[in-house]
């Protein structure tokens, strides 16, 4: 009888642990998606508040760019300056949409593949890497293809 109760108790604990792990995984995936949406897509493509980038991107963030055969790296501060300079030119607003193609994470590390369409045509495919710090998920690198 004691063995039966022990088996039932252990089974219950295993099920509860699985439920907790699945909920935690869903929470991390949702948190990553929220960070990318609120601290990247909305500020950049929907003319949102650029200060949000500072919330979602680590201060040591680096963007890797291969443009017209030239490779360079850009810091978070320089990237934000470039966005401000582009906005100052008052270019016509375009319609953007985005789709998360991959959100893959394990422990403290995550990778996101994000498709960005401009006027319903593929414009960018971004690869963003994140770390989970004590204050939450932060983007640490970005590289992209432009179409």
């Amino acid at each position: 009888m004691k063995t039966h109760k022990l088996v039932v108790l252990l089974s219950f604990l295993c099920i509860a642990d699985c439920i907790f792990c699945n909920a935690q995984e869903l929470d991390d995936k949702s948190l990553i998606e929220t960070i990318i949406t609120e601290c990247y897509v909305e500020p950049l493509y929907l003319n949102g508040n650029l200060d949000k980038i500072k919330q979602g991107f680590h201060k040591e963030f680096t963007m890797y760019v291969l443009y017209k055969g030239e490779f360079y790296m850009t810091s978070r501060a320089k990237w934000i300056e470039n966005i401000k300079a582009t906005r100052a030119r008052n270019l016509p607003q375009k319609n953007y949409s985005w789709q998360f193609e991959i959100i893959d994470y394990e422990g403290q590390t995550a990778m996101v593949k994000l498709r960005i369409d401009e006027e319903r045509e593929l414009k960018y495919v971004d690869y963003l890497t994140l770390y989970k710090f004590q204050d939450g998920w932060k983007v640490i690198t970005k590289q992209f293809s432009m179409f």
Side-chain angles (χ1 to χ4, degrees), residues 118-132:
E118 177 184 272
E119 302 295 337
R120 298 184 183 202
E121 291 189 23
L122 179 61
K123 182 69 175 180
Y124 303 103
V125 174
D126 292 346
Y127 292 88
L128 305 155
T129 57
L130 299 91
Y131 269 137
K132 188 175 187 179

Side-chain angles (χ1 to χ4, degrees), residues 5-6 9 13 15 26-27 41 43 58 66 70 83 92 97 99 108 120-121 123 125 144:
K5 287 181 180 180
L6 183 60
L9 177 63
L13 291 175
I15 291 169
L26 289 175
D27 286 347
V41 175
H58 192 271
L66 181 61
E70 296 293 321
I83 296 167
S97 60
Q99 176 183 347
Q108 67 185 23
R120 298 184 183 202
E121 291 189 23
K123 182 69 175 180
V125 174
F144 61 96

Side-chain angles (χ1 to χ4, degrees), residues 19 29-30 61 63 71 114 144:
I19 290 170
K29 184 175 181 181
S30 295
F61 162 82
M63 179 168 55
F71 176 77
L114 185 68
F144 61 96

Side-chain angles (χ1 to χ4, degrees), residues 23-54:
Q24 190 173 7
E25 286 178 23
L26 289 175
D27 286 347
D28 277 337
K29 184 175 181 181
S30 295
L31 289 170
I32 292 166
E33 196 169 311
T34 298
I35 289 291
I36 300 303
T37 301
E38 293 180 2
C39 299
Y40 174 55
V41 175
E42 290 174 357
L44 189 62
Y45 295 104
L46 303 180
N47 283 328
N49 182 350
L50 293 179
D51 287 336
K52 294 291 280 184
I53 290 173
K54 292 177 183 176

